[in-house]
Amino acid sequence: MTAKATVGSSILETVKTIVYALLIAGVFRTLFFQPFWIPSGSMKETLLIGDFLFVNKMAYGYSSASCPSLKFPGLGVDIDSSDICGFLDGDNSRILASEPERGDVVVFRHPVNQNDFIKRLVGMPGDKIQVKNGVLHINGAAVALQDAGDFEEIMAPQGPAGSYPLCENAPVGEGAVCKKSRQIETLPGGSQHVVLNIGNQGMDHTGVYQVPDGHYFFMGDNRDNSSDSRLPQSAGGGGFVPFENLIGRADRIMFSSAGRSMLFFWTWRGDRFFKGIE
């Protein structure tokens, strides 16, 4: 075999290895776990900007939303999940389906803009949901709330977007302590988690939402800084989310960085590595 043939064979083997690795990674991401970075503060303090987690896609079975979307505008690539897994579309159904539980932290595909959202499931099919004076009501009954002090963070740019937190004790100068009221919320069934409040906001007073069959109602734990099911999908909120749009359940934070890049090791949050999500 000539040297030229040897080089050609080596390049071919390298290309094959890369293709196989990509195929395996694609199958793994489609069927088992999908990586997800937390880009906003809508789920504080449960999830912080810069948390990195894997979404358990086996939890609720599979639908067209289970396939990843491939969007690279600079390269002209815009492939929606339905373009890959459209064969799974089927009247708001899933294969190997399992019902989510109230209190689950869920990643779902927005029914209109196709972006991935992560929120907490508070309303099941058939429920009546309302927020009165900042308190969540489910089927006419207020959820139990227990005061738990303040959530504190530094007023500074957060994450790659450099967004600033909203504070109950505003105005707050750069580098000062930003506070939010902190409460422990108990949902029907016993699921408990922390919710944060900043003040009297418009979304603290809503009408009654009747959750349709086959749909779910989601809210962010950072109640005054979350675009969720309280807002219609046309306004950027989640609205009522169909069963087929669920991607998976978030169970554990794998890694967390408070800086603008995961490479800034001095901003890593060591206390959040492998932290369970409640």
Side-chain angles (χ1 to χ4, degrees):
M1 181 179 293
T2 65
K4 186 175 181 179
T6 300
V7 171
S9 177
S10 176
I11 293 175
L12 179 60
E13 288 301 316
T14 299
V15 171
K16 288 168 61 177
T17 299
I18 293 173
V19 171
Y20 290 152
L22 290 174
L23 287 173
I24 292 171
V27 170
F28 183 86
R29 180 175 177 179
T30 300
L31 296 180
F32 303 112
F33 298 96
Q34 176 175 320
F36 192 88
W37 281 99
I38 302 302
S40 74
S42 68
M43 282 294 292
K44 289 178 181 177
E45 67 180 48
T46 304
L47 297 172
L48 303 180
I49 295 175
D51 283 349
F52 175 78
L53 49 89
F54 281 103
V55 178
N56 180 0
K57 304 182 82 167
M58 299 175 284
Y60 310 132
Y62 303 93
S63 69
S64 60
S66 300
C67 276
S69 295
L70 304 175
K71 298 180 183 295
F72 303 100
L75 300 176
V77 177
D78 186 5
I79 302 175
D80 186 69
S81 60
S82 60
D83 297 328
I84 304 172
C85 289
F87 66 94
L88 292 176
D89 277 339
D91 199 22
N92 197 25
S93 62
R94 310 177 72 88
I95 61 173
L96 302 177
S98 295
E99 183 86 1
E101 296 183 4
R102 194 191 311 272
D104 285 356
V105 176
V106 179
V107 173
F108 60 88
R109 186 71 40 80
H110 192 282
V112 176
N113 62 33
Q114 299 302 304
N115 291 331
D116 292 347
F117 278 38
I118 184 165
K119 307 290 180 185
R120 189 176 299 277
L121 172 57
V122 299
M124 305 296 286
D127 280 347
K128 292 182 179 179
I129 305 295
Q130 185 176 20
V131 181
K132 298 180 182 180
N133 298 318
V135 179
L136 173 64
H137 288 64
I138 301 176
N139 296 322
V143 299
L145 289 171
Q146 177 184 349
D147 289 336
D150 292 329
F151 171 77
E152 298 184 353
E153 56 188 338
I154 300 300
M155 173 58 77
Q158 298 181 344
S163 57
Y164 284 84
L166 300 179
C167 313
E168 187 173 17
N169 59 327
V172 176
E174 182 110 13
V177 175
C178 171
K179 296 183 179 181
K180 298 176 180 63
S181 295
R182 184 177 184 271
Q183 296 174 304
I184 297 173
E185 181 178 81
T186 303
L187 298 177
S191 173
Q192 290 187 323
H193 52 274
V194 169
V195 295
L196 304 181
N197 286 285
I198 299 168
N200 187 16
Q201 309 285 332
M203 297 308 293
D204 288 333
H205 315 277
T206 74
V208 176
Y209 303 92
Q210 176 76 55
V211 185
D213 289 342
H215 292 70
Y216 299 90
F217 194 96
F218 291 90
M219 293 178 67
D221 291 348
N222 191 3
R223 291 290 161 82
D224 294 330
N225 189 24
S226 176
S227 296
D228 49 40
S229 290
R230 291 171 291 178
L231 288 173
Q233 294 161 3
S234 59
F240 300 125
V241 179
F243 186 35
E244 65 184 350
N245 282 60
L246 306 189
I247 294 175
R249 185 182 64 223
D251 293 326
R252 188 170 298 274
I253 299 164
M254 305 304 295
F255 170 84
S256 185
S257 173
R260 303 195 68 168
S261 170
M262 64 176 292
L263 300 179
F264 296 171
F265 63 87
W266 57 90
T267 66
W268 292 354
R269 303 182 181 109
D271 60 333
R272 296 184 70 79
F273 285 25
F274 309 110
K275 177 180 174 66
I277 297 173
E278 298 179 354

